[in-house]
């Protein structure tokens, strides 16, 4: 395996304080670029122009956010259809978890979440993305375990998030 490459991360979070904290954590953890935006519309504009390896997306505006994920996976956004994705949400029922799984979401961060959970999630996703050769060299085969931490306490489909689970591996 060659040297790790820099990763590009997009954070989509409408709450300014939370966006600042998560972006700060991401910048501390990686050598790549972190771009933070406040809305799904802003994220879509950025994703039409730039490629991201990692996307952390708030589901506060669930229909628009899920639509963005669908367009991402359909290849409608610039070369990011294989981006590693984590989402944050106040809750996640079984139907939502299944839909997110189908869209390739790797982690669900249930709000309110601990900073440690964000650190583990971002570190795992960025490490998995950085370990993958640049576009055209090979795909992201076999990296499903790399994005999750060993501390996952259950599948997102197991509950609404108020049962002590603050993150779950979806894939």
């Amino acid at each position: 395996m060659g040297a790790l490459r820099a990763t590009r991360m997009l954070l989509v979070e409408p709450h300014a304080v939370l966006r600042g904290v998560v972006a700060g954590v991401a910048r501390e953890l990686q050598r790549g670029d972190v771009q933070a935006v406040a809305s799904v519309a802003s994220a879509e504009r950025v994703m039409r122009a730039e490629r991201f390896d990692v996307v952390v997306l708030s589901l506060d505006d669930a229909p628009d956010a899920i639509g963005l994920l669908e367009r991402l996976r359909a290849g409608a956004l610039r070369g990011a259809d294989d981006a590693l994705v984590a989402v944050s949400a106040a809750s996640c029922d079984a139907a939502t978890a299944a839909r997110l799984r189908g869209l390739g979401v790797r982690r669900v961060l249930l709000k309110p979440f601990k900073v440690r959970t964000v650190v583990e999630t971002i570190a795992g996703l960025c490490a998995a993305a950085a370990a993958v050769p640049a576009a055209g060299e090979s795909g992201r085969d076999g990296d499903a375990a790399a994005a999750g931490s060993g501390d996952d306490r259950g599948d997102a489909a197991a509950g609404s998030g108020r049962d002590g689970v603050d993150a779950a591996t979806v894939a």
Side-chain angles (χ1 to χ4, degrees), residues 92-156:
C92 186
D93 60 21
T96 302
R99 189 166 185 193
L100 293 173
R101 188 177 302 114
L103 291 169
V105 171
R106 305 294 288 283
R107 290 285 296 251
V108 174
L109 296 167
L110 296 172
K111 295 177 181 179
F113 44 76
K114 297 175 180 143
V115 172
R116 180 180 63 99
T117 304
V118 174
V119 168
E120 291 170 352
T121 299
I122 292 172
L125 291 174
C126 290
V132 175
E137 293 182 30
S138 74
R140 285 193 166 96
D141 297 333
D143 67 334
S149 75
D151 190 38
D152 290 336
R153 290 167 277 176
D155 190 327

Side-chain angles (χ1 to χ4, degrees), residues 38-77:
S39 69
V40 170
S42 294
E44 185 150 2
R45 281 191 297 277
V46 170
M47 293 172 90
R48 288 191 183 282
E50 301 178 48
R51 175 178 172 70
F52 293 92
D53 302 298
V54 174
V55 177
V56 179
L57 175 65
S58 170
L59 295 184
D60 284 1
D61 189 5
D64 289 342
I66 299 240
L68 178 70
L69 279 174
E70 289 169 342
R71 291 186 294 284
L72 171 74
R73 294 306 186 211
L77 304 171

